[in-house]
Short mmCIF file of all heavy atoms in Angstrom, two decimals:
data_model
loop_
_atom_site.label_atom_id
_atom_site.label_comp_id
_atom_site.label_asym_id
_atom_site.label_seq_id
_atom_site.Cartn_x
_atom_site.Cartn_y
_atom_site.Cartn_z
N ILE A 731 12.54 0.02 8.55
CA ILE A 731 11.50 0.88 9.36
C ILE A 731 11.13 0.02 10.52
O ILE A 731 11.10 -1.27 10.41
CB ILE A 731 10.22 1.15 8.56
CG1 ILE A 731 9.33 2.19 9.22
CG2 ILE A 731 9.62 0.06 8.08
CD1 ILE A 731 8.22 2.72 8.52
N SER A 732 10.90 0.61 11.63
CA SER A 732 10.50 -0.16 12.81
C SER A 732 9.61 0.84 13.79
O SER A 732 9.72 2.07 13.51
CB SER A 732 11.67 -0.58 13.77
OG SER A 732 12.47 0.48 14.14
N ARG A 733 8.85 0.32 14.71
CA ARG A 733 8.15 1.20 15.50
C ARG A 733 7.99 0.71 16.96
O ARG A 733 8.13 -0.56 17.09
CB ARG A 733 6.73 1.33 14.90
CG ARG A 733 5.88 0.09 15.02
CD ARG A 733 4.61 0.43 14.19
NE ARG A 733 3.58 1.16 15.03
CZ ARG A 733 2.38 1.44 14.52
NH1 ARG A 733 1.93 1.39 13.18
NH2 ARG A 733 1.48 2.16 15.42
N ASP A 734 7.83 1.55 17.84
CA ASP A 734 7.67 1.23 19.21
C ASP A 734 6.24 1.64 19.54
O ASP A 734 6.01 2.88 19.91
CB ASP A 734 8.75 1.90 20.05
CG ASP A 734 8.60 1.52 21.58
OD1 ASP A 734 7.53 1.16 22.13
OD2 ASP A 734 9.68 1.49 22.29
N ASN A 735 5.33 0.77 19.68
CA ASN A 735 3.92 1.14 19.94
C ASN A 735 3.70 1.92 21.32
O ASN A 735 2.89 2.72 21.49
CB ASN A 735 3.08 0.02 19.83
CG ASN A 735 2.85 -0.42 18.29
OD1 ASN A 735 3.08 0.34 17.43
ND2 ASN A 735 2.60 -1.66 18.06
N ALA A 736 4.47 1.37 22.29
CA ALA A 736 4.38 1.91 23.57
C ALA A 736 4.79 3.38 23.66
O ALA A 736 4.34 4.21 24.52
CB ALA A 736 5.16 1.14 24.63
N LYS A 737 5.61 3.69 22.77
CA LYS A 737 6.25 5.16 22.84
C LYS A 737 5.64 5.96 21.59
O LYS A 737 5.97 7.08 21.51
CB LYS A 737 7.75 5.13 22.63
CG LYS A 737 8.40 4.58 23.80
CD LYS A 737 10.00 4.55 23.68
CE LYS A 737 10.67 3.93 24.71
NZ LYS A 737 12.14 4.05 24.57
N ASN A 738 4.65 5.36 20.85
CA ASN A 738 4.10 6.04 19.74
C ASN A 738 5.24 6.64 18.77
O ASN A 738 5.11 7.74 18.25
CB ASN A 738 3.11 7.09 20.10
CG ASN A 738 1.95 6.62 20.77
OD1 ASN A 738 1.47 5.56 20.36
ND2 ASN A 738 1.44 7.29 21.81
N THR A 739 6.16 5.81 18.57
CA THR A 739 7.31 6.27 17.73
C THR A 739 7.74 5.29 16.65
O THR A 739 7.52 4.16 16.85
CB THR A 739 8.57 6.27 18.65
OG1 THR A 739 8.33 7.36 19.70
CG2 THR A 739 9.74 6.85 17.97
N VAL A 740 8.10 5.86 15.58
CA VAL A 740 8.61 5.23 14.41
C VAL A 740 9.93 5.49 14.05
O VAL A 740 10.35 6.77 14.26
CB VAL A 740 7.55 5.34 13.16
CG1 VAL A 740 7.52 6.95 12.69
CG2 VAL A 740 7.88 4.42 12.07
N TYR A 741 10.74 4.55 13.59
CA TYR A 741 12.08 4.83 13.20
C TYR A 741 12.40 4.51 11.73
O TYR A 741 11.73 3.67 11.17
CB TYR A 741 13.01 4.02 14.10
CG TYR A 741 12.82 4.22 15.65
CD1 TYR A 741 11.89 3.21 16.26
CD2 TYR A 741 13.39 5.29 16.32
CE1 TYR A 741 11.81 3.49 17.71
CE2 TYR A 741 13.16 5.47 17.69
CZ TYR A 741 12.29 4.50 18.32
OH TYR A 741 12.09 4.63 19.67
N LEU A 742 13.40 5.10 11.19
CA LEU A 742 13.86 4.78 9.93
C LEU A 742 15.32 4.63 9.91
O LEU A 742 16.07 5.67 10.00
CB LEU A 742 13.37 5.65 8.84
CG LEU A 742 13.70 5.27 7.40
CD1 LEU A 742 12.93 4.04 6.89
CD2 LEU A 742 13.44 6.38 6.42
N GLN A 743 15.90 3.38 9.87
CA GLN A 743 17.33 3.38 9.73
C GLN A 743 17.72 3.19 8.30
O GLN A 743 17.26 2.47 7.55
CB GLN A 743 17.75 1.96 10.46
CG GLN A 743 19.29 1.69 10.20
CD GLN A 743 20.08 2.60 11.04
OE1 GLN A 743 19.87 2.98 12.21
NE2 GLN A 743 21.21 3.20 10.43
N MET A 744 18.60 4.30 7.94
CA MET A 744 19.07 4.41 6.53
C MET A 744 20.42 4.09 6.31
O MET A 744 21.36 4.80 6.87
CB MET A 744 18.66 5.73 6.03
CG MET A 744 17.28 6.15 6.22
SD MET A 744 16.81 7.83 5.44
CE MET A 744 17.73 8.76 6.57
N ASN A 745 20.73 2.99 5.64
CA ASN A 745 22.06 2.52 5.42
C ASN A 745 22.44 2.71 3.86
O ASN A 745 21.54 2.74 3.06
CB ASN A 745 22.31 1.22 5.76
CG ASN A 745 22.14 0.93 7.27
OD1 ASN A 745 22.31 1.88 8.20
ND2 ASN A 745 21.71 -0.14 7.71
N SER A 746 23.78 2.81 3.58
CA SER A 746 24.25 2.89 2.16
C SER A 746 23.53 3.96 1.42
O SER A 746 23.04 3.73 0.31
CB SER A 746 23.98 1.46 1.45
OG SER A 746 24.63 0.43 2.12
#
Side-chain angles (χ1 to χ4, degrees):
I731 189 171
S732 60
R733 66 188 281 177
D734 185 332
N735 291 331
K737 296 181 179 179
N738 293 323
T739 299
V740 63
Y741 306 94
L742 186 68
Q743 178 66 43
M744 305 186 292
N745 298 329
S746 303

